[in-house]
Amino acid sequence: MKKEIIINRSQEEIRIAILEDSKLINLFVERSESEKIVGNIYKGRVEAILPGISGAFVNIGIGKNAYLNVSDIISEKKESNIEKMISRRKEIIVQVEKEPISTKGAKVTMDISLPGRYLVYMPFQERVGVSKHIESRQERNRLKVIIEEIKPKKGGIIIRTEAEDATKEDLKREMRYLTRLWDSVCSRIDKVKSPSLLHRDLGLVFQTIRDYFSEDVEIILVDSKEEHKELTNFVKIVSPELADRVNLYTSKTPIFKAYNIEEALKKLRSNKVNLPSGGYIIIQEAESLCAIDVNTGKFVGNQSQEETVTITNLEAAKEIAMQLRLRNIGGIIVIDFIDMRKAKNRQRVLSALENSVKGDKAKIRIFPITRLGLIEMSRERKRESLSSLLSETCPVCSGTGLIVSRESLLIQISNDLQQLKLGHHHGKTRLKLNNSVVNYFKERLSKLEKIVGDKIEIQASKDIGIEDYQIIVE
């Protein structure tokens, strides 16, 4: 498949799209006003310990205190009682695992990890692990042997997927870089007061190149001369053999428009996603849970109902994996697939979902289908979802997605008019309404006039909210 990385930089934001055969498969957005802090390392100070939730709050200098769970504390002796492992006002070194989301502060860990292109260095661990995506046992063993030879005396290593077929020299060079980086962090610890930033992780563009730029990417296109220069220099360091694939986009047509990415972004704002055969899925996001419903829609199939349903569910499994990645949806996810009678078909759908999420770099757990036919899964949440980034709560519905019905509004107004009549208010009555409901009320004007026993003038106003109204008696 033809793979491309498209980078759009403006004064306000950076957007990165990864395309596969011209189809959007990954999207990353970073805005100048909301700096990302995942991966940053801080010298922090413990402000509060809460044994009831087995956690502590740490001041890292970013406003709201960060949350540190007992399981993320590095201590010589592991205890179930957090108060025996850490004390208030203690200065500690932490790394941000999750961005602040909504009302929640950042989540931090004392178990530091420094990622490179091929390796992840963990100063406080001892184990050597290999990415599960490297399937060849021979290659896994080769890499383990190399790492055992070059790893430092202290620290653990995770061998990333990109390390497959990497030379010993490549791995040795990166190992040297990561250990020097950690030494640099350590050298600053005693020189700064808490709270202080000790290490800032790579920016979004460099992170994406580090994690996604490989032999199967044919081209990187960037529309900023400055970014192109910096990116070329970075690639010459991490992957010099691929440096000629970094190109500057110079056309007058905006880069995201030229590659039809803007159109794809518009679709991501909708909670409805159509499937190839005519079915569709509905995605409903809440703060910590996402519910996804699968429907056959217009698809009736040519065989049995069971086969029609199974085809729709298989299409949905693949699309759901894609949408979770594109929308950056994390937390608990519940999928309501269409009921299937045969156990083998339910297993096919579950397997299809498991296979479809394999390319996702976020940690994912999928559980067996429940008695109600639901699939429960969890997806690692490090940053806010695309929906949270691109939208804000509707001032009319306050995030419910619903507004007062026209019938309910009619009843409210009828009750108010009845109270006016009981209060012996007399005079010309004017009713001001939002433009969108005026015709509905004009059709029912006789009912309202019967209540007051006189004529009522209905006026349209764009300045009145769709749920609001004004009754004026002159």
Side-chain angles (χ1 to χ4, degrees):
M1 290 186 177
K2 183 183 178 183
K3 224 172 185 179
E4 302 161 293
I5 297 178
I6 311 298
I7 303 173
N8 165 232
R9 174 183 271 282
S10 66
Q11 190 173 352
E12 295 79 19
E13 68 178 359
I14 297 173
R15 300 186 297 175
I16 303 174
I18 300 179
L19 307 180
E20 205 169 75
D21 284 345
S22 300
K23 183 179 180 182
L24 183 65
I25 63 164
N26 256 314
L27 177 71
F28 308 100
V29 181
E30 184 174 276
R31 291 183 169 167
S32 54
E33 288 191 5
S34 53
E35 181 185 6
K36 303 305 179 187
I37 61 172
V38 165
N40 287 1
I41 300 174
Y42 294 86
K43 182 178 181 179
R45 185 175 61 248
V46 179
E47 297 290 353
I49 298 174
L50 287 80
I53 59 172
S54 297
F57 287 100
V58 184
N59 180 3
I60 59 174
I62 62 167
K64 189 182 286 291
N65 288 339
Y67 174 70
L68 173 68
N69 188 269
V70 66
S71 61
D72 291 310
I73 296 175
I74 298 294
S75 176
E76 292 181 3
K77 189 177 180 181
K78 277 288 183 182
E79 297 274 356
S80 57
N81 186 347
I82 188 173
E83 292 177 297
K84 292 182 179 180
M85 299 177 67
I86 200 169
S87 58
R88 190 172 176 274
R89 309 303 295 176
K90 181 180 176 65
E91 293 185 330
I92 57 175
I93 310 305
V94 294
Q95 184 175 36
V96 178
E97 277 192 319
K98 295 181 181 178
E99 297 277 356
I101 298 174
S102 186
T103 58
K104 298 177 182 177
K107 185 177 184 296
V108 295
T109 178
M110 292 175 68
D111 191 7
I112 308 296
S113 61
L114 298 172
R117 182 170 179 79
Y118 305 118
L119 308 171
V120 178
Y121 176 50
M122 301 170 294
F124 301 115
Q125 297 286 345
E126 294 299 329
R127 66 188 179 91
V128 173
V130 184
S131 167
K132 62 182 179 181
H133 296 300
I134 299 177
E135 297 177 354
S136 167
R137 181 174 296 180
Q138 185 178 352
E139 179 63 10
R140 294 172 70 90
N141 291 336
R142 182 187 77 88
L143 292 169
K144 281 184 177 180
V145 168
I146 294 174
I147 294 302
E148 289 296 342
E149 289 180 18
I150 67 173
K151 73 185 290 285
K153 292 181 180 180
K154 289 186 178 180
I157 304 292
I158 293 177
I159 302 169
R160 305 185 72 178
T161 308
E162 290 301 326
E164 191 169 13
D165 298 326
T167 66
K168 182 178 179 179
E169 190 55 40
D170 288 335
L171 300 176
K172 191 174 182 179
R173 183 170 57 247
E174 182 157 285
M175 189 74 261
R176 191 184 307 119
Y177 162 73
L178 294 174
T179 51
R180 284 177 179 173
L181 179 59
W182 176 238
D183 289 341
S184 173
V185 173
C186 293
S187 69
R188 298 194 64 223
I189 292 174
D190 295 329
K191 296 178 182 178
V192 299
K193 295 181 179 180
S194 62
S196 291
L197 175 67
L198 296 174
H199 165 71
R200 189 185 304 279
D201 198 16
L202 292 174
L204 178 64
V205 174
F206 292 157
Q207 279 186 38
T208 304
I209 300 309
R210 179 191 67 195
D211 296 341
Y212 292 91
F213 189 30
S214 56
E215 283 286 351
D216 60 344
V217 176
E218 292 188 7
I219 191 172
I220 296 178
L221 272 179
V222 55
D223 61 359
S224 161
K225 287 183 179 179
E226 182 183 346
E227 196 72 50
H228 173 258
K229 183 178 179 181
E230 292 179 2
L231 193 53
T232 301
N233 291 335
F234 180 73
V235 173
K236 283 179 179 178
I237 295 171
V238 297
S239 300
E241 72 282 3
L242 302 178
D244 61 343
R245 301 189 189 186
V246 181
N247 289 271
L248 177 65
Y249 179 81
T250 56
S251 175
K252 291 183 179 180
T253 305
I255 190 168
F256 266 37
K257 186 174 182 181
Y259 283 81
N260 298 318
I261 301 169
E262 293 290 5
E263 195 62 35
L265 283 175
K266 287 181 183 178
K267 292 180 180 179
L268 289 176
R269 293 182 59 191
S270 172
N271 67 347
K272 181 179 179 181
V273 182
N274 293 320
L275 300 174
S277 295
Y280 61 91
I281 60 175
I282 298 292
I283 302 171
Q284 297 285 354
E285 286 185 65
E287 187 169 332
S288 58
L289 179 131
C290 176
I292 301 177
D293 187 35
V294 182
N295 298 277
T296 54
K298 298 177 181 179
F299 182 48
V300 294
N302 298 317
Q303 301 179 44
S304 65
Q305 180 184 359
E306 178 79 3
E307 188 63 24
T308 300
V309 165
T310 303
I311 291 172
T312 302
N313 283 339
L314 289 170
E315 289 181 352
K318 185 177 180 181
E319 188 62 43
I320 287 168
M322 176 77 73
Q323 292 297 321
L324 293 178
R325 192 164 66 240
L326 284 173
R327 297 169 187 246
N328 196 25
I329 295 173
I332 299 168
I333 299 152
V334 179
I335 308 170
D336 184 11
F337 284 103
I338 309 167
D339 290 340
M340 294 166 288
R341 293 193 303 272
K342 296 180 180 179
K344 69 174 185 179
N345 287 335
R346 292 195 293 271
Q347 186 56 47
R348 282 175 66 193
V349 172
L350 182 62
S351 297
L353 183 62
E354 290 171 340
N355 290 330
S356 298
V357 301
K358 282 183 178 179
D360 198 324
K361 291 187 181 291
K363 294 176 184 175
I364 291 176
R365 291 183 66 194
I366 300 176
F367 300 92
I369 298 178
T370 68
R371 290 183 179 181
L372 294 176
L374 306 174
I375 287 184
E376 298 170 356
M377 62 182 288
S378 63
R379 185 176 184 273
E380 181 184 27
R381 185 205 302 270
K382 286 191 175 182
R383 296 186 175 93
E384 62 181 333
S385 70
L386 187 68
S387 174
S388 300
L389 183 69
L390 299 182
S391 58
E392 57 186 34
T393 303
C394 170
V396 176
C397 71
S398 300
T400 65
L402 302 170
I403 58 172
V404 172
S405 69
R406 291 175 295 177
E407 186 177 11
S408 297
L409 195 62
L410 178 66
I411 293 170
Q412 287 179 23
I413 292 172
S414 298
N415 290 338
D416 284 354
L417 290 172
Q418 185 67 40
Q419 289 301 313
L420 284 172
K421 183 179 180 181
L422 292 174
H424 304 290
H425 290 279
H426 298 289
K428 183 180 177 183
T429 303
R430 286 190 291 125
L431 179 59
K432 294 183 74 174
L433 299 161
N434 183 275
N435 293 347
S436 62
V437 299
V438 163
N439 288 339
Y440 177 85
F441 276 81
K442 283 183 176 179
E443 291 170 0
R444 292 154 182 81
L445 182 58
S446 59
K447 291 184 180 180
L448 299 177
E449 291 177 337
K450 189 174 181 181
I451 293 173
V452 298
D454 204 347
K455 295 287 185 181
I456 296 177
E457 180 185 350
I458 293 181
Q459 294 180 342
S461 174
K462 63 180 181 181
D463 298 324
I464 291 181
I466 197 168
E467 293 186 333
D468 300 325
Y469 57 89
Q470 291 180 3
I471 298 175
I472 303 166
V473 180
E474 298 175 339

